[in-house]
């Protein structure tokens, strides 16, 4: 079996699918907001308590995810962590975090195959 196939475990594929769904899901609404010239951040933190709660919730989860990604990347000696961290605010946490998990899973799979 080729190395490429060995790197793609079932969890890695699942994380990649989640990343694509996160990208399409978030950017469908982002593009709509851009086309309609909406105040994206103003609406995120200014449309009432329930939306504010979701904004704060997502912001805290994003910070926690970044801390986890950096810690895991250092622990596992993964390269390219800056890319995933930058993708969080520039694209979406719903894309960047599962994409990182996919890369992490592939990295662990490669490590396991080297150890055998």
């Amino acid at each position: 079996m080729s190395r490429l196939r060995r790197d793609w475990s079932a969890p890695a594929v699942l994380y990649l699918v989640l990343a694509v769904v996160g990208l399409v899901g978030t950017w469908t609404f982002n593009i709509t907001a851009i086309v309609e010239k909406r105040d994206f951040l103003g609406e995120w933190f200014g449309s009432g308590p329930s939306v504010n709660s979701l904004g704060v919730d997502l912001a805290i989860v994003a910070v926690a995810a970044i801390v986890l990604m950096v810690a895991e990347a250092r622990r596992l000696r993964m390269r390219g962590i800056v890319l995933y961290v930058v993708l969080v605010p520039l694209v979406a946490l719903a894309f960047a975090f599962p994409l990182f998990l996919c890369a992490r899973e592939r990295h662990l799979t490669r490590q396991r195959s080297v150890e055998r």
Side-chain angles (χ1 to χ4, degrees), residues 42-63:
E43 290 181 10
W44 205 39
F45 287 106
S47 296
S50 58
V51 175
N52 291 348
S53 173
L54 291 172
V56 171
D57 193 33
L58 183 58
I60 297 301
V61 169
V63 171

Side-chain angles (χ1 to χ4, degrees), residues 5-19 98-107 109 112:
R5 280 190 160 164
R6 286 185 304 211
D7 292 351
W8 288 97
S9 64
V13 172
L14 176 60
Y15 291 137
L16 184 60
V17 168
L18 289 171
L99 190 64
F100 167 78
L101 291 174
C102 174
R104 177 185 173 273
E105 183 63 31
R106 292 186 69 212
H107 182 83
T109 300
R112 286 190 291 268

Side-chain angles (χ1 to χ4, degrees), residues 14-70:
L14 176 60
Y15 291 137
L16 184 60
V17 168
L18 289 171
V20 171
V21 170
L23 177 67
V24 171
T26 57
W27 275 88
T28 298
F29 293 107
N30 290 349
I31 291 169
T32 300
I34 291 167
V35 168
E36 293 179 359
K37 297 182 175 140
R38 306 287 295 252
D39 178 12
F40 188 76
L41 289 179
E43 290 181 10
W44 205 39
F45 287 106
S47 296
S50 58
V51 175
N52 291 348
S53 173
L54 291 172
V56 171
D57 193 33
L58 183 58
I60 297 301
V61 169
V63 171
I66 289 170
V67 169
L68 175 70
M69 290 188 301
V70 170

Side-chain angles (χ1 to χ4, degrees), residues 72-79 107 111:
E72 271 296 278
R74 285 184 177 167
R75 182 180 75 83
L76 298 173
R77 293 184 170 94
M78 290 175 62
R79 298 182 334 198
H107 182 83
Q111 278 185 337

